[in-house]
Amino acid sequence: MLPFHFQVVAALIFAIGALGVMLRRNMIVMFMSIELMLNAANLSLVAFSREIGNDQGQILAFIVMVVAAVEVAVGLAIIISLVRNRDTVNIEDTSQMKW
Amino acid sequence: MTEHENTALRWIPLLPLIAAALSGAWLVFGRRALPRVAVIALACGAPIASFAIAVVQVFKLALETALPPDAPYYSDNLYTWISAGDFHAELAFLLDPLSAVMVLVVTGVGSLIHIYSVGYMDDDHREDRGFQRFFAYLNLFTFSMLMLILGDNLLVMFVGWEGVGVCSYLLIGFWYLDDANAAAGQKAFVVNRIGDFGFLLGIFLLFWSFAQAGLPTVEFREMSANVGLLAERTVALPGWLSFLPGFPTWGLLTLACLCLFVGACGKSAQIPLYVWLPDAMAGPTPVSALIHAATMVTAGVYMVCRMSFAYSLAPGAQATVAWTGALTAFFAATIGLAQTDIKKVLAYSTVSQLGYMFLAAGVAAYSAAIFHVMTHAFFKALLFLGAGSVILGMHHQQDITKMGGLRRRMPVTWATFLVGVIAIAGVPPFSGFFSKDEILLAANQAHAIPGHQALWAIGMATAFLTAFYMFRLYFLVWSGESRADHHTQASIHESGKWVLVPLCVLALFSVIGGFFGLPDAYGDLFGVQRSNSLHHFLQPVVHSAEHEISHATEFRLAALTTCVGLAGIALATVMYFWRRDLAAKLAAAIRPLYALVRDKYRIDELYDAAIVRPLRALSSSLLSRGVDQGLIDGLAVNGTAKLVRASADGALKYLQSGFAQSYLVAMLLGGVLLVAWLVRGS
Amino acid sequence: MRTALFWIFSVMAVGSALGVVGSLRSPINSALSLVLSMLALAGLYVLLEAQFVGLIQVMVYAGAIVVLFLFVIMLLNLRGSGAGSAESRPIGKAAGAVVAVGAVLWLVRRLAASRAPWPEVDPTYGTTRAIGEALYTDYVLSVQVAGVLLLAGIIAAVVLAKKKID
């Protein structure tokens, strides 16, 4: 078990999350995939922090968590109002953002 | 260098500037106009104080023993204005004999005209703050003129040069609600800009060539001392100019001096740029006296004299100056014969007298030119102020065919006006006689100039014409029966003391002004050595040509000039005093010619047809519609917008699919590429 | 022992992450997989001597955020789309998997070049006390900003989720 093993795990989780965001159409699941990506970044931060031996990476991980929490709160609120208005959570049904 | 420093000089231009700034600021920010007393105190106090300082400093300059007698000068360096590499231009003032004479004339005559203006502008109730605005402009003009005269280098001079142009424009169009006045102001400004362009080119050329010679400077004294560096340098002309005399090379100094002379032509109303000066009479009469007779229009002459060290090495330029001056003098005098507006006659007479000054400068009689500037300032300001007094008395009637018989109604104005007319006609011993005589003598003796005898002959003819049309003016205005309507006749009155005091002072100087430059020949008669004090005072600066000529010849020439002048007077007396019917008969006999002269040879119409209208047509059709609207607005500005819009409409907008996931993919792809690029080499 | 734990947690984290992304039956399954993934990550944090971060991970992520997800899913009564629906994109998945695996392999190769060993750290490293001291001294401004951010997020969520905006 070496530092870089953690990075590999983080990379895998990140890749899985990214695939989820790109391939799933259910907005809730996409959100969860984003959470996965954020977590992967956190793991990477904490592992690097341990490798260097100072606490800055952990602090940054906290900030990431805060941002994630806020983002989930706002994002889910958006999804709720979307479902109320359009009765769908399929991302492809919300394609009005174009010319 | 210490004995040359004199910090009093800066106050000469500063005081009028302060006065102008104060009344101007009050105009902009104040609720109401300043009280009249305050305006008068400020506006007249400043030039009078400047005059007092100038008198003291000039006397110090003339009498100070610590100064070297061969080149006395005072300088006052305020600060370094421009400093670039080896080049330094200081904001500095220079008081040497040449600027001393000019400063005295400008501040002295200027102060008198300021005082006169108090009386003249009282009459004007067209706007409640006009009085104050007028004096703010007038003070600003005085400041600019003093900058022009006292500047110790070409750049400071140029600041003043442009400043007087602006003030001239403001004052000609002073009653701007009348379109004609505003148009006259614009005409003056535009024509002056044409001249200024040449002046600027001349400055650039001189600076550039001095810099080539290893001495980047625009300072008069340095240039004067080192002008020898440029004496032999020539400029190759392009092939299409092969018709010019002296092709294929011209002297550098000749070219530079010609460029400077173009500027002088604009400012001093010489052919072909004289057309603005007659129109400039649209301004209030004190303005015509101060700016368009006594001071600003002589700036060109002053500049040529200031640059005399260069002109003396450029014979081609000298000949051009002399011939332009002589032709202008004659041409303007002929127009003056047939004008009926009192101020127009005086305006053409001014153009004509300026021609004399350039004739003098061209034949290297610089001190004679400055002498004539001085005497002309006296008698022409006097005549203009007298005309203004007449205009006040006649309720702004300027047509001399509607005047006559004013002599008993306005005795003081009449007497001073008569003095002015005699002075300009060249009757000894009035001032105009001596200065004109000196110029004609110099022209007669200028063997270096091609056709100097012709120049002299033209000068003599002009002297005759001058005497004739000035006395025509005099008789039409003052003698005989009044030709005004009854309503006007009843209320003709003499002007107040604000107007009359300056008139009397100027009349005095018009009589005695000539003795400042009493020729040595006359001095020898009375046993006075070096009696031509002005000439000897100026000589260290301007290096006028000296003539070896016997006194007898000099007296013969003077007698001839006097006879010519008297002949002109006699002819005018016959035609306009004894046999009044003659003038009309003569005019009828040569009707076409008379009409042509009355319409000023239709030069304005010629310029309009040859330059103004083609330029306008070109501008409106090709430049405005074609280049500006078509190319710049249409192609460049709107074209850019249309291109962006068309490309977006055609292709780019389809990138925006509206599917959030395609955006996400693009984002991620970008992120991946960024990271890949960041870690590419490690 | 630690190595064994590492492997257990890693496999758990990656597997449940796959579960989050891959379960087509219902979002509920995804959410529960997410909880599992979070817990496994918390374990990994503890292995990295970052006990406090691990604890917070369990509390905040598994305990709050994912519950919020579940809450919303239940509230909206969402169904999964099921296999064979438009959700399953076999070609996309295959391509994505190939790219992802390729990228990860490339990363592993790059990272394996630097096989740094574990440095010795302070016994206080990663404890609540140490992190707390850092947060309230050096990083106090960040903490305040995070607080403001949370406040803004709460307000935004309330405003957005209101039934009607008057």
Side-chain angles (χ1 to χ4, degrees):
Chain A
M1 182 191 74
L2 284 162
F4 92 91
H5 291 138
F6 285 88
Q7 303 300 345
V8 174
V9 174
L12 275 172
I13 297 177
F14 186 89
I16 292 163
L19 284 177
V21 171
M22 288 189 281
L23 296 174
R24 294 296 304 259
R25 289 170 191 179
N26 183 324
M27 273 191 269
I28 301 262
V29 178
M30 282 172 66
F31 251 110
M32 292 183 203
S33 307
I34 289 174
E35 293 306 312
L36 277 178
M37 286 159 78
L38 285 165
N39 269 297
N42 266 350
L43 176 59
S44 185
L45 282 172
V46 174
F48 275 129
S49 169
R50 172 72 184 79
E51 193 177 335
I52 298 167
N54 78 9
D55 56 4
Q56 285 180 16
Q58 296 184 37
I59 306 285
L60 189 47
F62 277 124
I63 306 293
V64 172
M65 280 186 200
V66 170
V67 173
V70 172
E71 174 241 1
V72 165
V74 175
L76 287 175
I78 292 172
I79 289 173
I80 288 173
S81 52
L82 252 174
V83 170
R84 281 208 190 112
N85 284 321
R86 303 182 159 266
D87 199 23
T88 178
V89 286
N90 191 328
I91 190 89
E92 291 193 356
D93 294 343
T94 61
S95 57
Q96 272 72 31
M97 285 198 306
K98 62 175 180 184
W99 32 278
Chain B
M1 284 301 288
T2 45
E3 72 271 16
H4 291 300
E5 277 173 28
N6 183 342
T7 52
L9 295 189
R10 66 188 60 177
W11 294 105
I12 300 175
L14 259 180
L15 288 171
L17 177 64
I18 291 167
L22 283 176
S23 44
W26 191 271
L27 270 178
V28 175
F29 301 112
R31 289 270 176 84
R32 277 198 303 270
L34 274 170
R36 241 180 118 259
V37 182
V39 175
I40 295 170
L42 201 62
C44 298
I48 291 170
S50 287
F51 177 59
I53 297 171
V55 169
V56 172
Q57 297 312 321
V58 171
F59 270 97
K60 273 178 71 178
L61 178 79
L63 306 173
E64 180 65 65
T65 48
L67 296 174
D70 54 333
Y73 72 93
Y74 281 129
S75 69
D76 178 12
N77 190 340
L78 266 72
Y79 59 90
T80 301
W81 176 21
I82 297 172
S83 170
D86 298 336
F87 171 64
H88 298 285
E90 318 286 336
L91 184 62
F93 299 120
L94 170 74
L95 187 77
D96 62 358
L98 178 59
S99 49
V101 175
M102 291 298 289
V103 161
L104 289 183
V105 169
V106 169
T107 52
V109 175
S111 300
L112 289 172
I113 293 173
H114 277 71
I115 293 166
Y116 172 95
S117 303
V118 173
Y120 190 88
M121 298 307 286
D122 249 4
D123 195 44
D124 178 43
H125 300 294
R126 281 175 240 204
E127 56 173 317
D128 59 339
R129 293 206 247 183
F131 193 71
Q132 188 182 340
R133 189 164 66 92
F134 179 80
F135 279 107
Y137 289 165
L138 216 54
N139 282 335
L140 188 64
F141 167 79
T142 310
F143 156 75
S144 305
M145 191 70 205
L146 290 167
M147 286 281 279
L148 193 163
I149 289 164
L150 288 169
D152 93 321
N153 61 52
L154 276 167
L155 292 181
V156 179
M157 188 189 214
F158 188 72
V159 171
W161 188 270
E162 293 298 322
V164 292
V166 171
C167 296
S168 166
Y169 159 78
L170 289 171
L171 283 161
I172 294 169
F174 180 73
W175 292 312
Y176 53 86
L177 291 177
D178 186 345
D179 279 351
N181 298 342
Q186 280 166 15
K187 182 173 176 181
F189 199 77
V190 169
V191 176
N192 263 302
R193 297 300 313 164
I194 297 167
D196 295 345
F197 183 67
F199 187 38
L200 261 182
L201 284 181
I203 295 177
F204 292 158
L205 191 59
L206 274 174
F207 169 68
W208 172 79
S209 43
F210 270 109
Q212 292 284 86
L215 183 87
T217 181
V218 287
E219 214 223 325
F220 296 127
R221 301 190 64 261
E222 276 188 61
M223 289 195 290
S224 176
N226 298 292
V227 73
L229 293 172
L230 310 183
E232 299 305 313
R233 298 196 45 188
T234 54
V235 182
L237 293 177
W240 52 272
L241 290 175
S242 56
F243 59 88
L244 287 173
F247 184 83
T249 55
W250 269 18
L252 181 78
L253 281 172
T254 304
L255 195 60
C257 287
L258 283 174
C259 287
L260 293 175
F261 182 58
V262 171
C265 277
K267 199 57 86 191
S268 294
Q270 297 299 289
I271 290 173
L273 299 178
Y274 72 94
V275 289
W276 64 270
L277 186 58
D279 285 30
M281 295 302 129
T285 308
V287 173
S288 311
L290 177 64
I291 303 189
H292 306 120
T295 58
M296 182 187 87
V297 288
T298 62
V301 184
Y302 168 75
M303 191 264 288
V304 172
C305 293
R306 179 52 84 192
M307 302 304 292
S308 58
F309 55 86
Y311 279 89
S312 295
L313 294 173
Q318 277 191 307
T320 311
V321 173
W323 272 99
T324 308
L327 291 175
T328 307
F330 184 77
F331 180 77
T334 57
I335 300 181
L337 294 176
Q339 296 306 305
T340 55
D341 179 312
I342 184 168
K343 285 177 76 179
K344 283 273 159 71
V345 176
L346 292 173
Y348 281 106
S349 146
T350 304
V351 176
S352 174
Q353 297 297 314
L354 287 165
Y356 268 122
M357 297 169 203
F358 278 108
L359 169 59
V363 297
Y366 302 106
S367 58
I370 295 294
F371 186 25
H372 199 57
V373 166
M374 184 178 84
T375 58
H376 174 259
F378 294 146
F379 58 69
K380 189 51 66 68
L382 168 64
L383 287 168
F384 263 116
L385 298 186
S389 179
V390 170
I391 290 167
L392 282 184
M394 299 281 295
H395 298 280
H396 293 272
Q397 170 64 266
Q398 300 189 8
D399 190 344
I400 53 178
T401 58
K402 303 226 168 33
M403 295 180 186
L406 294 178
R407 182 173 152 185
R408 284 175 301 282
R409 312 292 289 274
M410 306 174 73
V412 184
T413 310
W414 166 76
T416 54
F417 199 90
L418 180 59
V419 168
V421 171
I422 294 174
I424 196 174
V427 176
F430 287 61
S431 57
F433 164 74
F434 290 110
S435 53
K436 197 181 292 191
D437 209 41
E438 200 174 338
I439 291 171
L440 290 171
L441 173 72
N444 185 287
Q445 295 300 314
H447 301 289
I449 306 288
H452 65 280
Q453 293 296 356
L455 286 177
W456 175 77
I458 293 173
M460 293 298 273
T462 309
F464 172 80
L465 290 176
T466 306
F468 175 76
Y469 70 73
M470 286 315 293
F471 269 85
R472 164 180 175 266
L473 175 71
Y474 166 80
F475 287 126
L476 283 175
V477 173
W478 300 102
S479 63
E481 292 304 312
S482 178
R483 297 180 292 276
D485 53 60
H486 291 290
H487 173 68
T488 312
Q489 271 198 41
S491 59
I492 295 173
H493 58 276
E494 180 61 287
S495 310
K497 60 178 184 302
W498 284 106
V499 169
L500 296 181
V501 170
L503 282 177
C504 296
V505 177
L506 282 169
L508 174 70
F509 275 100
S510 299
V511 177
I512 64 167
F515 295 101
F516 293 119
L518 188 72
D520 290 343
Y522 297 77
D524 293 348
L525 283 183
F526 308 112
V528 182
Q529 283 302 307
R530 292 167 66 86
S531 64
N532 194 340
S533 47
L534 190 79
H535 175 79
H536 296 297
F537 183 54
L538 289 173
Q539 199 55 9
V541 186
V542 294
H543 308 296
S544 305
E546 299 278 4
H547 306 300
E548 288 307 318
I549 178 170
S550 70
H551 290 352
T553 320
E554 202 168 327
F555 288 134
R556 264 204 299 279
L557 281 172
L560 195 56
T561 326
T562 312
C563 290
V564 165
L566 290 173
I569 295 172
L571 184 63
T573 313
V574 169
M575 282 175 65
Y576 293 96
F577 189 65
W578 289 331
R579 297 283 312 277
R580 289 167 194 282
D581 52 335
L582 273 182
K585 276 185 188 154
L586 184 65
I590 50 166
R591 172 137 305 281
L593 182 64
Y594 178 79
L596 185 67
V597 174
R598 191 192 55 215
D599 299 345
K600 309 155 205 167
Y601 297 105
R602 305 203 179 90
I603 294 286
D604 276 322
E605 288 80 352
L606 174 73
Y607 282 178
D608 192 52
I611 298 169
V612 179
R613 258 181 285 162
L615 204 64
R616 277 204 152 140
L618 180 80
S619 302
S620 65
S621 63
L622 180 71
L623 294 177
S624 158
R625 274 197 288 276
V627 176
D628 194 56
Q629 288 171 28
L631 211 66
I632 294 173
D633 264 10
L635 193 69
V637 180
N638 295 340
T640 311
K642 283 196 185 109
L643 179 72
V644 170
R645 189 172 174 162
S647 54
D649 251 356
L652 287 176
K653 71 176 180 185
Y654 297 109
L655 290 177
Q656 306 292 328
S657 62
F659 292 112
Q661 278 177 305
S662 53
Y663 303 153
L664 282 169
V665 171
M667 234 170 86
L668 263 162
L669 208 63
V672 167
L673 286 176
L674 264 178
V675 172
W677 187 77
L678 284 173
V679 299
R680 70 198 182 285
S682 57
Chain C
M1 177 68 200
R2 287 171 79 96
T3 313
L5 278 175
F6 168 77
W7 279 107
I8 292 167
F9 286 136
S10 304
V11 170
M12 226 167 90
V14 175
S16 48
L18 279 171
V20 171
V21 174
S23 76
L24 298 180
R25 289 239 321 273
S26 161
I28 303 261
N29 296 6
S30 293
L32 293 174
S33 291
L34 190 60
V35 177
L36 202 57
S37 180
M38 302 286 169
L39 292 174
L41 279 172
L44 284 175
Y45 290 153
V46 175
L47 278 180
L48 284 167
E49 321 271 342
Q51 307 96 323
F52 185 67
V53 184
L55 190 68
I56 295 293
Q57 172 81 0
V58 173
M59 283 165 70
V60 172
Y61 259 120
I65 295 183
V66 183
V67 170
L68 188 62
F69 270 108
L70 280 169
F71 185 75
V72 170
I73 295 167
M74 307 252 181
L75 176 83
L76 299 177
N77 196 9
L78 293 170
R79 296 267 178 286
S81 40
S85 71
E87 273 278 30
S88 69
R89 303 186 197 172
I91 298 172
K93 277 182 187 161
V98 168
V99 172
V101 169
V104 172
L105 280 177
W106 175 79
L107 193 67
V108 169
R109 240 193 56 222
R110 296 300 302 269
L111 287 168
S114 62
R115 288 164 166 273
W118 296 106
E120 285 299 312
V121 287
D122 237 40
T124 60
Y125 175 84
T127 56
T128 309
R129 184 191 190 108
I131 299 293
E133 276 178 358
L135 273 179
Y136 288 104
T137 53
D138 293 351
Y139 302 103
V140 69
L141 184 65
S142 316
V143 174
Q144 302 293 341
V145 171
V148 174
L149 190 65
L150 280 166
L151 177 66
I154 291 166
I155 293 170
V158 170
V159 169
L160 282 167
K162 266 171 78 173
K163 263 239 164 18
K164 274 171 104 171
I165 298 172
D166 308 314

